[in-house]
Every structure is written in structure tokens, then in C-alpha cells.
Amino acid sequence: MKLLVPVKRVVDYNVKVRVKSDGSGMDLAGVKMSMNPFDEIAVEEAVRLKEKGVATEIIAVSCGVAQCQETLRTALAIGADRAILVETDAELQPLAVAKILKALIDKEQPGLVILGKQAIDDDCNQVGQMLAALADLPQATFASKVEVADGKAQVTREVDGGLETVSVTLPAVVTTDLRLNEPRYVTLPNIMKAKKKPLENVKPADLGVDVTPRLKTLKVSEPPKRGAGVKVPDVATLVDKLKNEAKVI
Ligand code: AMP
């Protein structure tokens, strides 16, 4: 069984991003970029499924600028077998990514697509769900445990107030939550090996996909600055301030 694992190149989670002075977006010049953390978890899960003998081949896919190759090389170093870069300089919104992935499902016929539940840059949480709808596949989102057997995936999902276990017939789309696994460290020998693994380069038009944005960003602004805190001498003053100033009790 083939596994398709989409990986997005995003601003590293340690970076504090700044809004551009004209409010048109984020200032990304010279900012460190990394693989979306939820996608690292997806690649790790795919590698574990291959190690268990459930999967035979892992294909990592990234859509975006030429530098997404670095993200794909990281996926290959974690353990993916080959990679596909769908290269474009255009702004890619979740629907466009989902259409590209749908075209790749048609071409590669994977048994399972494992992707992150959300990208930490746009926080959309849309691609997995849109992909399942476009490809007419069952979906299990926010997975904290995945077991594959007899043409089905049993997925434990993190929902409000607990865990829910669902069974989906393969092929299916699964999105990863934080507690699914802890991704392994990428070792130097594996980084070297990854350089020799195949990386195919295609354009959205080669897959027959129109990536024209459907949404327009009107304005991006910083969250309001937090005021400085104050020290109170005793509990009585604290209670008084909470009651009469903050009016929260
Ligand atoms: P989103 O719906 O934008 O929050 O993204 C959810 C997931 O879709 C991510 O965790 C990735 O696995 C995948 N994804 C989103 N954008 C891309 C992209 N440009 N290239 C590859 N995968 C992507």
C-alpha cells in the first residue's frame, strides 16, 4: 500500500513573526522556515506504518516555491521513499492545495493520505477535509492513534471532552493531532541518503489544476499589546481588584 504524505513549508514555530507595516501580510524576509510540525508527525506515522509492514511506499508531496525541496528532503531523511514538488510561486490557498492533492491521488492511487490537521502559518484546518470531499474518500481527522488492518483504518480522534474511535475503509484521508507520535530525530546518515532519493518536479498546470486564489486578504494586524502587570501586597487587595477593577468575580 502506498502512503501519500503532504508536507508544508511554514515559518518555523520558534519564530515570532511581524506584520508588514502596510498591513498586507506577514514580513517573511530572512525568516527561518521548517516543515509544519503536524506534517512531521504525519511523516513519522507513515514511516512507522512502513516499519510495521503495513505500507510499502511513502510519497511526500509539497506544493509551493522551489525551496519546498528542502522540506521534502527532510521528509525523505525521516524515511519517505520519494518526493513530488508541485512548484508554483502563486499564493496557494487550502482549496488549491486540496485540488492538487486530489490530482495526485488519481495518479498515484495511495491507500492512505496522512496529513497535518492544520498548518501553523494560516491555521486553516481545511485541506484534509476538502481533499476527502473532492476525492470522495472517508476521513478521520485529529488522529491520536492509527491502526491499519484488513483494508480499514481504526483511528482514535481527540474530540472535546475525550477520545472517539472511528473505523474508515481504505483508501481514506487521516489528519494528525499532536499526540499521535513523537517524530524521530533526523540523523546525518539519513540526511545524506535522502539526497539520493528521487524528487520529481511538476507544475499545477501539469496536473490540470487552476490555483487561482478564491479569497482576498483585506488586512493583517498585530494583536492588541498587553498592558504591564501590577504587584499586589496581599490577597485582600487582589480580591478587591478582581471584584472592583477587573470585575471578573
Ligand atoms: P491547512 O488546512 O492549510 O491548515 O493545512 C492542513 C494540512 O494540509 C497541512 O498540515 C499539510 O499537511 C497540508 N498542506 C497545506 N498546505 C500545503 C502545501 N502547500 N503543500 C503540502 N501540503 C500542504
Side-chain angles (χ1 to χ4, degrees), residues 5-10 36-39 42 61-64 68 86 92-94 97-98 100-101 114-130 175-176:
V5 187
V7 292
K8 186 175 188 187
R9 177 178 182 264
V10 296
N36 183 42
F38 291 106
D39 303 354
V61 188
S62 195
C63 315
C68 294
V86 184
L92 285 178
Q93 292 179 350
V97 176
I100 290 171
L101 297 176
I114 311 181
L115 66 171
K117 74 166 180 183
Q118 78 191 57
I120 61 163
D121 52 359
D122 57 21
D123 272 342
C124 276
N125 180 357
Q126 292 175 0
V127 172
Q129 294 88 331
M130 285 177 168
T175 73
T176 61

Side-chain angles (χ1 to χ4, degrees), residues 105 110 113 131-139 169-173:
I105 289 181
V113 184
L131 175 62
L134 290 174
D136 198 17
L137 293 177
Q139 60 176 298
T169 308
L170 302 182
V173 174

Side-chain angles (χ1 to χ4, degrees), residues 165-196:
T165 303
V166 296
S167 172
V168 286
T169 308
L170 302 182
V173 174
V174 169
T175 73
T176 61
D177 214 327
L178 210 55
R179 278 162 288 275
L180 179 58
N181 62 49
E182 207 171 299
R184 67 196 66 190
Y185 284 105
V186 180
T187 61
L188 191 58
N190 284 343
I191 293 174
M192 301 313 285
K193 266 190 231 159
K195 292 188 185 192
K196 297 205 181 86

